[in-house]
Amino acid sequence: MAPVPLSPVKVGHIDDVQELRNAKPTTIPERFVRDMTERPTLATALPSTSDIPVIDLSKLIKGDKDEVHSEILKLGIACEEWGFFQVINHEIELSLLESIEKLAKEFFMLPLEEKQKYPMIPGTLQGYGQAFVFSEDQKLDWCNMFALGVEPHFIRNPKLWPTRPAKFSETVELYSKEVRALCNNLLKYIAMSLGMRQQAFEEMFGVAVQAIRMNYYPACSRPDLVLGLSPHSDGSALTVLQQGKGSSVGLQILKDNTWVPVQPIPNALVINIGDTIEVLSNGKYKSVEHRAVTHKEKDRLSLVTFYAPSYEIELGPMPEFVDESNPCKYRRYNHGEYSKHYVTSKLQGKKALDFAKIHTKISN
Ligand code: OGA
Ligand code: NI
């Protein structure tokens, strides 16, 4: 959640997807209809191992030496080959996962006028509305979003913290504390899987920036024509995603040029590597492109936490990941600048990371 851009952006009228669906359940306005090449036709043949890896955090925290060792190897493979994994036994109370989910649903079910008390100004990323819209001709996602900057406190906009439903804001606070601890923990093990010191990321990141985004995807009469969320990689270091119980399957990740659906595991959290870790590891771990699709009858809710370094931090590939066979792929940059770039560009696959890519000349 970076600083607000200076010039207001002209985005035209943006329909609220829930209202649209209620008023005209079978109409898909042109602005939501994707070009042929972007439509979410699923490949019929999925990769042979089409389930993303599952990491058992309790083995990492409490396991014996062998268990820790083998789970760290598994984690390394998950980060290198998938950029995604699901974590089980993550130590966040089930009742907390349930209450945040219930409150998020209640929030989205409030009348539009109530939600619009917390408007997301176009070009910014906090409040209720559609994020990442920058022009009048840009296609829109079939999704309503509500997002808040959480940590450090100076990124908060207190006017955007809802008073209804009761307990919403304090539950976001509680939940965010738990997810922060989980991110810290996971980053320790991710560092170890890279052969680094446990505390390496924590020391490097300063006071980490944390934000939460709730995505509500209403059912859509033509899921073949629209996208719930455009393809993108996350601008964070790590992302933690909670999929609503009973929601449709909607998250898909791009693996070997195929969109692979992430099958929810009850009470597990989906974790993915963001752009920061890709840069720091010089591309060894990748922030894999992903998107969300919609469902004909079912709605879907996801609660997404982004965990990233402090804006002041300078980042670039760490020397241990650069050598003759792995030339440096990214320049050094300030993370605040990157965040600003990320939130002021439309979601477009991995394009945001071009900001940091070194385009090597091919010599002959
Ligand atoms: C995101 C995201 C996927 C989903 O918010 O960055 O990738 O399933 N969400 O909602
Ligand atoms: Ni994402």
Side-chain angles (χ1 to χ4, degrees), residues 84 132 143 145 213-217 229-230 232-234 239 241-243 250-252 272 290-293 300-304 306 342 347:
F84 268 82
F132 304 106
C143 176
M145 287 179 171
R213 182 157 78 219
M214 304 174 171
N215 303 316
Y216 179 68
Y217 305 96
L229 187 60
S230 305
H232 66 282
S233 65
D234 292 344
T239 301
L241 182 140
Q242 178 180 341
Q243 311 215 57
L251 174 62
Q252 298 181 339
N272 67 283
H290 53 285
R291 69 180 184 185
V293 297
R300 176 165 177 265
L301 177 73
S302 67
L303 308 172
V304 189
F306 302 98
Y342 188 92
L347 293 180

PDB file of all heavy atoms in Angstrom, residues 84 132 143 145 213-217 229-230 232-234 239 241-243 250-252 272 290-293 300-304 306 342 347, ligand 1:
ATOM      1  N   PHE A  84       4.229 -21.665  -4.999  1.00  0.00           N
ATOM      2  CA  PHE A  84       2.996 -21.763  -4.206  1.00  0.00           C
ATOM      3  C   PHE A  84       3.033 -23.016  -3.355  1.00  0.00           C
ATOM      4  O   PHE A  84       3.563 -24.042  -3.785  1.00  0.00           O
ATOM      5  CB  PHE A  84       1.786 -21.926  -5.140  1.00  0.00           C
ATOM      6  CG  PHE A  84       1.122 -20.640  -5.533  1.00  0.00           C
ATOM      7  CD1 PHE A  84       1.639 -19.861  -6.561  1.00  0.00           C
ATOM      8  CD2 PHE A  84      -0.030 -20.220  -4.884  1.00  0.00           C
ATOM      9  CE1 PHE A  84       1.012 -18.675  -6.927  1.00  0.00           C
ATOM     10  CE2 PHE A  84      -0.659 -19.042  -5.248  1.00  0.00           C
ATOM     11  CZ  PHE A  84      -0.142 -18.266  -6.272  1.00  0.00           C
ATOM     12  N   PHE A 132      -6.656  -1.400  -9.191  1.00  0.00           N
ATOM     13  CA  PHE A 132      -5.844  -1.550 -10.410  1.00  0.00           C
ATOM     14  C   PHE A 132      -6.583  -1.156 -11.694  1.00  0.00           C
ATOM     15  O   PHE A 132      -6.353  -1.719 -12.743  1.00  0.00           O
ATOM     16  CB  PHE A 132      -5.323  -2.993 -10.559  1.00  0.00           C
ATOM     17  CG  PHE A 132      -4.525  -3.473  -9.373  1.00  0.00           C
ATOM     18  CD1 PHE A 132      -5.068  -4.380  -8.469  1.00  0.00           C
ATOM     19  CD2 PHE A 132      -3.229  -3.012  -9.157  1.00  0.00           C
ATOM     20  CE1 PHE A 132      -4.334  -4.825  -7.377  1.00  0.00           C
ATOM     21  CE2 PHE A 132      -2.489  -3.454  -8.075  1.00  0.00           C
ATOM     22  CZ  PHE A 132      -3.038  -4.356  -7.179  1.00  0.00           C
ATOM     23  N   CYS A 143     -15.263  -8.893  -9.593  1.00  0.00           N
ATOM     24  CA  CYS A 143     -14.863  -8.990  -8.188  1.00  0.00           C
ATOM     25  C   CYS A 143     -15.139  -7.673  -7.471  1.00  0.00           C
ATOM     26  O   CYS A 143     -14.983  -6.603  -8.060  1.00  0.00           O
ATOM     27  CB  CYS A 143     -13.357  -9.289  -8.168  1.00  0.00           C
ATOM     28  SG  CYS A 143     -12.619  -9.355  -6.547  1.00  0.00           S
ATOM     29  N   MET A 145     -13.781  -5.685  -4.041  1.00  0.00           N
ATOM     30  CA  MET A 145     -12.651  -5.807  -3.113  1.00  0.00           C
ATOM     31  C   MET A 145     -12.798  -4.850  -1.951  1.00  0.00           C
ATOM     32  O   MET A 145     -13.356  -3.767  -2.097  1.00  0.00           O
ATOM     33  CB  MET A 145     -11.357  -5.392  -3.816  1.00  0.00           C
ATOM     34  CG  MET A 145     -10.852  -6.373  -4.810  1.00  0.00           C
ATOM     35  SD  MET A 145      -9.354  -5.687  -5.536  1.00  0.00           S
ATOM     36  CE  MET A 145      -8.819  -7.127  -6.452  1.00  0.00           C
ATOM     37  N   ARG A 213      -6.393  -7.828   1.902  1.00  0.00           N
ATOM     38  CA  ARG A 213      -7.393  -7.567   0.864  1.00  0.00           C
ATOM     39  C   ARG A 213      -8.403  -8.691   0.869  1.00  0.00           C
ATOM     40  O   ARG A 213      -8.040  -9.861   0.888  1.00  0.00           O
ATOM     41  CB  ARG A 213      -6.730  -7.472  -0.495  1.00  0.00           C
ATOM     42  CG  ARG A 213      -7.740  -7.160  -1.590  1.00  0.00           C
ATOM     43  CD  ARG A 213      -7.117  -6.524  -2.798  1.00  0.00           C
ATOM     44  NE  ARG A 213      -6.444  -7.491  -3.622  1.00  0.00           N
ATOM     45  CZ  ARG A 213      -5.291  -7.277  -4.239  1.00  0.00           C
ATOM     46  NH1 ARG A 213      -4.646  -6.144  -4.072  1.00  0.00           N
ATOM     47  NH2 ARG A 213      -4.767  -8.197  -5.001  1.00  0.00           N
ATOM     48  N   MET A 214      -9.660  -8.311   0.916  1.00  0.00           N
ATOM     49  CA  MET A 214     -10.736  -9.290   0.866  1.00  0.00           C
ATOM     50  C   MET A 214     -11.334  -9.228  -0.526  1.00  0.00           C
ATOM     51  O   MET A 214     -11.717  -8.152  -0.987  1.00  0.00           O
ATOM     52  CB  MET A 214     -11.787  -8.944   1.918  1.00  0.00           C
ATOM     53  CG  MET A 214     -11.164  -8.856   3.298  1.00  0.00           C
ATOM     54  SD  MET A 214     -12.311  -8.293   4.525  1.00  0.00           S
ATOM     55  CE  MET A 214     -11.322  -8.596   6.004  1.00  0.00           C
ATOM     56  N   ASN A 215     -11.350 -10.362  -1.189  1.00  0.00           N
ATOM     57  CA  ASN A 215     -11.889 -10.410  -2.553  1.00  0.00           C
ATOM     58  C   ASN A 215     -13.189 -11.191  -2.533  1.00  0.00           C
ATOM     59  O   ASN A 215     -13.225 -12.331  -2.082  1.00  0.00           O
ATOM     60  CB  ASN A 215     -10.923 -11.123  -3.499  1.00  0.00           C
ATOM     61  CG  ASN A 215      -9.538 -10.486  -3.546  1.00  0.00           C
ATOM     62  OD1 ASN A 215      -9.422  -9.261  -3.619  1.00  0.00           O
ATOM     63  ND2 ASN A 215      -8.505 -11.295  -3.495  1.00  0.00           N
ATOM     64  N   TYR A 216     -14.252 -10.572  -3.023  1.00  0.00           N
ATOM     65  CA  TYR A 216     -15.526 -11.278  -3.100  1.00  0.00           C
ATOM     66  C   TYR A 216     -15.923 -11.416  -4.575  1.00  0.00           C
ATOM     67  O   TYR A 216     -16.082 -10.427  -5.287  1.00  0.00           O
ATOM     68  CB  TYR A 216     -16.616 -10.523  -2.323  1.00  0.00           C
ATOM     69  CG  TYR A 216     -17.946 -11.231  -2.412  1.00  0.00           C
ATOM     70  CD1 TYR A 216     -18.128 -12.465  -1.797  1.00  0.00           C
ATOM     71  CD2 TYR A 216     -18.988 -10.690  -3.146  1.00  0.00           C
ATOM     72  CE1 TYR A 216     -19.337 -13.147  -1.911  1.00  0.00           C
ATOM     73  CE2 TYR A 216     -20.199 -11.356  -3.254  1.00  0.00           C
ATOM     74  CZ  TYR A 216     -20.357 -12.593  -2.637  1.00  0.00           C
ATOM     75  OH  TYR A 216     -21.547 -13.261  -2.756  1.00  0.00           O
ATOM     76  N   TYR A 217     -16.026 -12.659  -5.012  1.00  0.00           N
ATOM     77  CA  TYR A 217     -16.340 -12.941  -6.405  1.00  0.00           C
ATOM     78  C   TYR A 217     -17.770 -13.469  -6.489  1.00  0.00           C
ATOM     79  O   TYR A 217     -18.024 -14.638  -6.176  1.00  0.00           O
ATOM     80  CB  TYR A 217     -15.407 -14.020  -6.958  1.00  0.00           C
ATOM     81  CG  TYR A 217     -13.924 -13.712  -6.808  1.00  0.00           C
ATOM     82  CD1 TYR A 217     -13.183 -14.210  -5.726  1.00  0.00           C
ATOM     83  CD2 TYR A 217     -13.261 -12.933  -7.751  1.00  0.00           C
ATOM     84  CE1 TYR A 217     -11.826 -13.936  -5.594  1.00  0.00           C
ATOM     85  CE2 TYR A 217     -11.901 -12.656  -7.625  1.00  0.00           C
ATOM     86  CZ  TYR A 217     -11.196 -13.161  -6.542  1.00  0.00           C
ATOM     87  OH  TYR A 217      -9.859 -12.890  -6.410  1.00  0.00           O
ATOM     88  N   LEU A 229     -10.105 -12.204 -11.242  1.00  0.00           N
ATOM     89  CA  LEU A 229      -8.942 -11.347 -10.987  1.00  0.00           C
ATOM     90  C   LEU A 229      -7.922 -11.587 -12.092  1.00  0.00           C
ATOM     91  O   LEU A 229      -7.583 -12.738 -12.396  1.00  0.00           O
ATOM     92  CB  LEU A 229      -8.356 -11.678  -9.604  1.00  0.00           C
ATOM     93  CG  LEU A 229      -7.243 -10.788  -9.075  1.00  0.00           C
ATOM     94  CD1 LEU A 229      -7.696  -9.335  -8.940  1.00  0.00           C
ATOM     95  CD2 LEU A 229      -6.754 -11.283  -7.707  1.00  0.00           C
ATOM     96  N   SER A 230      -7.462 -10.491 -12.696  1.00  0.00           N
ATOM     97  CA  SER A 230      -6.524 -10.587 -13.819  1.00  0.00           C
ATOM     98  C   SER A 230      -5.230 -11.286 -13.418  1.00  0.00           C
ATOM     99  O   SER A 230      -4.814 -11.195 -12.256  1.00  0.00           O
ATOM    100  CB  SER A 230      -6.160  -9.187 -14.310  1.00  0.00           C
ATOM    101  OG  SER A 230      -7.307  -8.462 -14.640  1.00  0.00           O
ATOM    102  N   HIS A 232      -1.525 -12.007 -12.533  1.00  0.00           N
ATOM    103  CA  HIS A 232      -0.531 -11.123 -11.926  1.00  0.00           C
ATOM    104  C   HIS A 232       0.404 -11.948 -11.048  1.00  0.00           C
ATOM    105  O   HIS A 232       0.095 -13.083 -10.690  1.00  0.00           O
ATOM    106  CB  HIS A 232      -1.224 -10.066 -11.049  1.00  0.00           C
ATOM    107  CG  HIS A 232      -1.917 -10.665  -9.852  1.00  0.00           C
ATOM    108  ND1 HIS A 232      -3.150 -11.292  -9.956  1.00  0.00           N
ATOM    109  CD2 HIS A 232      -1.553 -10.792  -8.552  1.00  0.00           C
ATOM    110  CE1 HIS A 232      -3.504 -11.760  -8.776  1.00  0.00           C
ATOM    111  NE2 HIS A 232      -2.545 -11.485  -7.895  1.00  0.00           N
ATOM    112  N   SER A 233       1.518 -11.338 -10.688  1.00  0.00           N
ATOM    113  CA  SER A 233       2.300 -11.880  -9.577  1.00  0.00           C
ATOM    114  C   SER A 233       2.139 -10.875  -8.446  1.00  0.00           C
ATOM    115  O   SER A 233       1.736  -9.734  -8.679  1.00  0.00           O
ATOM    116  CB  SER A 233       3.764 -12.060  -9.969  1.00  0.00           C
ATOM    117  OG  SER A 233       4.365 -10.810 -10.221  1.00  0.00           O
ATOM    118  N   ASP A 234       2.426 -11.273  -7.213  1.00  0.00           N
ATOM    119  CA  ASP A 234       2.209 -10.358  -6.093  1.00  0.00           C
ATOM    120  C   ASP A 234       3.467  -9.518  -5.835  1.00  0.00           C
ATOM    121  O   ASP A 234       4.583 -10.032  -5.888  1.00  0.00           O
ATOM    122  CB  ASP A 234       1.824 -11.150  -4.830  1.00  0.00           C
ATOM    123  CG  ASP A 234       0.451 -11.801  -4.966  1.00  0.00           C
ATOM    124  OD1 ASP A 234      -0.315 -11.409  -5.867  1.00  0.00           O
ATOM    125  OD2 ASP A 234       0.141 -12.705  -4.163  1.00  0.00           O
ATOM    126  N   THR A 239       2.755 -13.959   0.352  1.00  0.00           N
ATOM    127  CA  THR A 239       1.316 -13.716   0.417  1.00  0.00           C
ATOM    128  C   THR A 239       0.649 -14.910   1.093  1.00  0.00           C
ATOM    129  O   THR A 239       1.025 -16.053   0.837  1.00  0.00           O
ATOM    130  CB  THR A 239       0.737 -13.518  -1.002  1.00  0.00           C
ATOM    131  OG1 THR A 239       1.400 -12.418  -1.611  1.00  0.00           O
ATOM    132  CG2 THR A 239      -0.752 -13.240  -0.965  1.00  0.00           C
ATOM    133  N   LEU A 241      -3.065 -16.611   1.692  1.00  0.00           N
ATOM    134  CA  LEU A 241      -4.431 -16.536   1.185  1.00  0.00           C
ATOM    135  C   LEU A 241      -5.326 -17.575   1.856  1.00  0.00           C
ATOM    136  O   LEU A 241      -4.995 -18.747   1.898  1.00  0.00           O
ATOM    137  CB  LEU A 241      -4.388 -16.738  -0.332  1.00  0.00           C
ATOM    138  CG  LEU A 241      -5.710 -16.658  -1.105  1.00  0.00           C
ATOM    139  CD1 LEU A 241      -5.493 -15.927  -2.420  1.00  0.00           C
ATOM    140  CD2 LEU A 241      -6.300 -18.010  -1.372  1.00  0.00           C
ATOM    141  N   GLN A 242      -6.413 -17.073   2.391  1.00  0.00           N
ATOM    142  CA  GLN A 242      -7.407 -17.954   3.014  1.00  0.00           C
ATOM    143  C   GLN A 242      -8.595 -18.052   2.073  1.00  0.00           C
ATOM    144  O   GLN A 242      -9.160 -17.036   1.675  1.00  0.00           O
ATOM    145  CB  GLN A 242      -7.818 -17.357   4.368  1.00  0.00           C
ATOM    146  CG  GLN A 242      -8.879 -18.182   5.079  1.00  0.00           C
ATOM    147  CD  GLN A 242      -9.274 -17.562   6.424  1.00  0.00           C
ATOM    148  OE1 GLN A 242      -8.545 -16.743   6.978  1.00  0.00           O
ATOM    149  NE2 GLN A 242     -10.425 -17.945   6.927  1.00  0.00           N
ATOM    150  N   GLN A 243      -8.949 -19.270   1.720  1.00  0.00           N
ATOM    151  CA  GLN A 243     -10.085 -19.446   0.816  1.00  0.00           C
ATOM    152  C   GLN A 243     -11.335 -19.721   1.650  1.00  0.00           C
ATOM    153  O   GLN A 243     -11.307 -20.556   2.546  1.00  0.00           O
ATOM    154  CB  GLN A 243      -9.854 -20.634  -0.109  1.00  0.00           C
ATOM    155  CG  GLN A 243      -8.501 -20.618  -0.787  1.00  0.00           C
ATOM    156  CD  GLN A 243      -8.544 -21.179  -2.202  1.00  0.00           C
ATOM    157  OE1 GLN A 243      -9.284 -20.706  -3.053  1.00  0.00           O
ATOM    158  NE2 GLN A 243      -7.750 -22.190  -2.455  1.00  0.00           N
ATOM    159  N   GLY A 250     -11.373 -21.355  -7.371  1.00  0.00           N
ATOM    160  CA  GLY A 250     -11.253 -20.179  -8.235  1.00  0.00           C
ATOM    161  C   GLY A 250      -9.836 -19.743  -8.521  1.00  0.00           C
ATOM    162  O   GLY A 250      -9.558 -19.168  -9.571  1.00  0.00           O
ATOM    163  N   LEU A 251      -8.926 -20.017  -7.589  1.00  0.00           N
ATOM    164  CA  LEU A 251      -7.546 -19.578  -7.785  1.00  0.00           C
ATOM    165  C   LEU A 251      -6.844 -20.528  -8.751  1.00  0.00           C
ATOM    166  O   LEU A 251      -6.955 -21.747  -8.621  1.00  0.00           O
ATOM    167  CB  LEU A 251      -6.832 -19.569  -6.415  1.00  0.00           C
ATOM    168  CG  LEU A 251      -5.338 -19.280  -6.402  1.00  0.00           C
ATOM    169  CD1 LEU A 251      -5.021 -17.895  -6.952  1.00  0.00           C
ATOM    170  CD2 LEU A 251      -4.790 -19.400  -4.971  1.00  0.00           C
ATOM    171  N   GLN A 252      -6.147 -19.941  -9.701  1.00  0.00           N
ATOM    172  CA  GLN A 252      -5.377 -20.770 -10.644  1.00  0.00           C
ATOM    173  C   GLN A 252      -3.966 -20.218 -10.753  1.00  0.00           C
ATOM    174  O   GLN A 252      -3.767 -19.004 -10.748  1.00  0.00           O
ATOM    175  CB  GLN A 252      -6.014 -20.719 -12.041  1.00  0.00           C
ATOM    176  CG  GLN A 252      -7.430 -21.260 -12.076  1.00  0.00           C
ATOM    177  CD  GLN A 252      -8.009 -21.222 -13.480  1.00  0.00           C
ATOM    178  OE1 GLN A 252      -7.550 -20.464 -14.344  1.00  0.00           O
ATOM    179  NE2 GLN A 252      -9.033 -22.015 -13.711  1.00  0.00           N
ATOM    180  N   ASN A 272       2.109 -17.908  -1.195  1.00  0.00           N
ATOM    181  CA  ASN A 272       2.909 -17.788  -2.408  1.00  0.00           C
ATOM    182  C   ASN A 272       4.048 -16.788  -2.269  1.00  0.00           C
ATOM    183  O   ASN A 272       4.004 -15.861  -1.472  1.00  0.00           O
ATOM    184  CB  ASN A 272       2.054 -17.526  -3.655  1.00  0.00           C
ATOM    185  CG  ASN A 272       1.370 -16.197  -3.663  1.00  0.00           C
ATOM    186  OD1 ASN A 272       0.372 -15.986  -2.997  1.00  0.00           O
ATOM    187  ND2 ASN A 272       1.909 -15.274  -4.437  1.00  0.00           N
ATOM    188  N   HIS A 290      -0.607 -15.804 -11.221  1.00  0.00           N
ATOM    189  CA  HIS A 290      -1.855 -16.467 -10.853  1.00  0.00           C
ATOM    190  C   HIS A 290      -3.037 -15.557 -11.185  1.00  0.00           C
ATOM    191  O   HIS A 290      -2.860 -14.375 -11.473  1.00  0.00           O
ATOM    192  CB  HIS A 290      -1.839 -16.866  -9.369  1.00  0.00           C
ATOM    193  CG  HIS A 290      -1.506 -15.752  -8.436  1.00  0.00           C
ATOM    194  ND1 HIS A 290      -0.223 -15.260  -8.267  1.00  0.00           N
ATOM    195  CD2 HIS A 290      -2.283 -15.007  -7.614  1.00  0.00           C
ATOM    196  CE1 HIS A 290      -0.234 -14.280  -7.390  1.00  0.00           C
ATOM    197  NE2 HIS A 290      -1.476 -14.097  -6.983  1.00  0.00           N
ATOM    198  N   ARG A 291      -4.234 -16.125 -11.140  1.00  0.00           N
ATOM    199  CA  ARG A 291      -5.443 -15.376 -11.460  1.00  0.00           C
ATOM    200  C   ARG A 291      -6.617 -16.035 -10.737  1.00  0.00           C
ATOM    201  O   ARG A 291      -6.458 -17.113 -10.150  1.00  0.00           O
ATOM    202  CB  ARG A 291      -5.689 -15.380 -12.978  1.00  0.00           C
ATOM    203  CG  ARG A 291      -6.073 -16.750 -13.502  1.00  0.00           C
ATOM    204  CD  ARG A 291      -6.308 -16.763 -15.006  1.00  0.00           C
ATOM    205  NE  ARG A 291      -6.772 -18.076 -15.454  1.00  0.00           N
ATOM    206  CZ  ARG A 291      -6.963 -18.401 -16.725  1.00  0.00           C
ATOM    207  NH1 ARG A 291      -6.711 -17.524 -17.683  1.00  0.00           N
ATOM    208  NH2 ARG A 291      -7.413 -19.609 -17.034  1.00  0.00           N
ATOM    209  N   ALA A 292      -7.768 -15.403 -10.788  1.00  0.00           N
ATOM    210  CA  ALA A 292      -8.957 -16.046 -10.213  1.00  0.00           C
ATOM    211  C   ALA A 292     -10.032 -16.111 -11.284  1.00  0.00           C
ATOM    212  O   ALA A 292     -10.201 -15.178 -12.078  1.00  0.00           O
ATOM    213  CB  ALA A 292      -9.452 -15.281  -8.996  1.00  0.00           C
ATOM    214  N   VAL A 293     -10.742 -17.231 -11.323  1.00  0.00           N
ATOM    215  CA  VAL A 293     -11.872 -17.378 -12.243  1.00  0.00           C
ATOM    216  C   VAL A 293     -13.159 -17.455 -11.421  1.00  0.00           C
ATOM    217  O   VAL A 293     -13.127 -17.657 -10.203  1.00  0.00           O
ATOM    218  CB  VAL A 293     -11.721 -18.626 -13.137  1.00  0.00           C
ATOM    219  CG1 VAL A 293     -10.496 -18.519 -14.020  1.00  0.00           C
ATOM    220  CG2 VAL A 293     -11.679 -19.909 -12.310  1.00  0.00           C
ATOM    221  N   ARG A 300     -17.567 -16.690  -4.237  1.00  0.00           N
ATOM    222  CA  ARG A 300     -16.298 -17.103  -3.642  1.00  0.00           C
ATOM    223  C   ARG A 300     -15.714 -15.927  -2.870  1.00  0.00           C
ATOM    224  O   ARG A 300     -15.815 -14.775  -3.295  1.00  0.00           O
ATOM    225  CB  ARG A 300     -15.325 -17.557  -4.731  1.00  0.00           C
ATOM    226  CG  ARG A 300     -13.964 -17.919  -4.224  1.00  0.00           C
ATOM    227  CD  ARG A 300     -13.158 -18.695  -5.277  1.00  0.00           C
ATOM    228  NE  ARG A 300     -11.846 -18.950  -4.736  1.00  0.00           N
ATOM    229  CZ  ARG A 300     -10.796 -18.183  -4.950  1.00  0.00           C
ATOM    230  NH1 ARG A 300     -10.886 -17.121  -5.718  1.00  0.00           N
ATOM    231  NH2 ARG A 300      -9.638 -18.477  -4.374  1.00  0.00           N
ATOM    232  N   LEU A 301     -15.096 -16.282  -1.737  1.00  0.00           N
ATOM    233  CA  LEU A 301     -14.454 -15.255  -0.922  1.00  0.00           C
ATOM    234  C   LEU A 301     -13.009 -15.661  -0.690  1.00  0.00           C
ATOM    235  O   LEU A 301     -12.723 -16.829  -0.417  1.00  0.00           O
ATOM    236  CB  LEU A 301     -15.183 -15.177   0.430  1.00  0.00           C
ATOM    237  CG  LEU A 301     -14.624 -14.215   1.459  1.00  0.00           C
ATOM    238  CD1 LEU A 301     -14.928 -12.776   1.067  1.00  0.00           C
ATOM    239  CD2 LEU A 301     -15.202 -14.498   2.847  1.00  0.00           C
ATOM    240  N   SER A 302     -12.092 -14.705  -0.812  1.00  0.00           N
ATOM    241  CA  SER A 302     -10.717 -15.000  -0.395  1.00  0.00           C
ATOM    242  C   SER A 302     -10.214 -13.840   0.449  1.00  0.00           C
ATOM    243  O   SER A 302     -10.565 -12.680   0.222  1.00  0.00           O
ATOM    244  CB  SER A 302      -9.824 -15.244  -1.605  1.00  0.00           C
ATOM    245  OG  SER A 302      -9.678 -14.069  -2.337  1.00  0.00           O
ATOM    246  N   LEU A 303      -9.398 -14.175   1.439  1.00  0.00           N
ATOM    247  CA  LEU A 303      -8.823 -13.170   2.328  1.00  0.00           C
ATOM    248  C   LEU A 303      -7.321 -13.242   2.142  1.00  0.00           C
ATOM    249  O   LEU A 303      -6.705 -14.274   2.398  1.00  0.00           O
ATOM    250  CB  LEU A 303      -9.182 -13.494   3.779  1.00  0.00           C
ATOM    251  CG  LEU A 303     -10.675 -13.720   4.029  1.00  0.00           C
ATOM    252  CD1 LEU A 303     -10.934 -14.225   5.424  1.00  0.00           C
ATOM    253  CD2 LEU A 303     -11.434 -12.436   3.791  1.00  0.00           C
ATOM    254  N   VAL A 304      -6.759 -12.141   1.677  1.00  0.00           N
ATOM    255  CA  VAL A 304      -5.374 -12.190   1.236  1.00  0.00           C
ATOM    256  C   VAL A 304      -4.526 -11.211   2.038  1.00  0.00           C
ATOM    257  O   VAL A 304      -4.864 -10.032   2.138  1.00  0.00           O
ATOM    258  CB  VAL A 304      -5.288 -11.838  -0.268  1.00  0.00           C
ATOM    259  CG1 VAL A 304      -3.889 -12.099  -0.796  1.00  0.00           C
ATOM    260  CG2 VAL A 304      -6.305 -12.639  -1.067  1.00  0.00           C
ATOM    261  N   PHE A 306      -0.773  -9.485   2.362  1.00  0.00           N
ATOM    262  CA  PHE A 306       0.496  -9.230   1.689  1.00  0.00           C
ATOM    263  C   PHE A 306       1.518  -8.789   2.733  1.00  0.00           C
ATOM    264  O   PHE A 306       1.246  -7.889   3.536  1.00  0.00           O
ATOM    265  CB  PHE A 306       0.324  -8.139   0.637  1.00  0.00           C
ATOM    266  CG  PHE A 306      -0.719  -8.485  -0.390  1.00  0.00           C
ATOM    267  CD1 PHE A 306      -2.010  -7.984  -0.291  1.00  0.00           C
ATOM    268  CD2 PHE A 306      -0.425  -9.352  -1.432  1.00  0.00           C
ATOM    269  CE1 PHE A 306      -2.984  -8.330  -1.210  1.00  0.00           C
ATOM    270  CE2 PHE A 306      -1.396  -9.707  -2.362  1.00  0.00           C
ATOM    271  CZ  PHE A 306      -2.673  -9.192  -2.254  1.00  0.00           C
ATOM    272  N   TYR A 342       4.088  -0.717  -8.517  1.00  0.00           N
ATOM    273  CA  TYR A 342       3.168  -1.866  -8.553  1.00  0.00           C
ATOM    274  C   TYR A 342       1.708  -1.413  -8.464  1.00  0.00           C
ATOM    275  O   TYR A 342       0.869  -1.842  -9.236  1.00  0.00           O
ATOM    276  CB  TYR A 342       3.498  -2.837  -7.416  1.00  0.00           C
ATOM    277  CG  TYR A 342       2.723  -4.136  -7.502  1.00  0.00           C
ATOM    278  CD1 TYR A 342       3.242  -5.242  -8.166  1.00  0.00           C
ATOM    279  CD2 TYR A 342       1.454  -4.251  -6.936  1.00  0.00           C
ATOM    280  CE1 TYR A 342       2.522  -6.430  -8.262  1.00  0.00           C
ATOM    281  CE2 TYR A 342       0.727  -5.429  -7.033  1.00  0.00           C
ATOM    282  CZ  TYR A 342       1.275  -6.513  -7.692  1.00  0.00           C
ATOM    283  OH  TYR A 342       0.551  -7.682  -7.791  1.00  0.00           O
ATOM    284  N   LEU A 347      -2.835  -4.800 -13.427  1.00  0.00           N
ATOM    285  CA  LEU A 347      -2.335  -6.161 -13.231  1.00  0.00           C
ATOM    286  C   LEU A 347      -2.149  -6.803 -14.604  1.00  0.00           C
ATOM    287  O   LEU A 347      -3.079  -6.880 -15.380  1.00  0.00           O
ATOM    288  CB  LEU A 347      -3.338  -6.989 -12.417  1.00  0.00           C
ATOM    289  CG  LEU A 347      -3.554  -6.601 -10.966  1.00  0.00           C
ATOM    290  CD1 LEU A 347      -4.584  -7.524 -10.323  1.00  0.00           C
ATOM    291  CD2 LEU A 347      -2.256  -6.624 -10.175  1.00  0.00           C
TER     292      LEU A 347
HETATM  293  C1  OGA B   1      -4.620 -11.524  -4.853  1.00  0.00           C
HETATM  294  C2  OGA B   1      -4.931 -12.845  -5.410  1.00  0.00           C
HETATM  295  C3  OGA B   1      -6.475 -14.677  -5.611  1.00  0.00           C
HETATM  296  C4  OGA B   1      -7.785 -15.124  -5.085  1.00  0.00           C
HETATM  297  O1  OGA B   1      -5.502 -10.934  -4.198  1.00  0.00           O
HETATM  298  O2  OGA B   1      -3.481 -11.051  -5.081  1.00  0.00           O
HETATM  299  O3  OGA B   1      -4.121 -13.392  -6.097  1.00  0.00           O
HETATM  300  O4  OGA B   1      -8.031 -16.309  -5.174  1.00  0.00           O
HETATM  301  N1  OGA B   1      -6.117 -13.401  -5.109  1.00  0.00           N
HETATM  302  O5  OGA B   1      -8.541 -14.306  -4.615  1.00  0.00           O
END
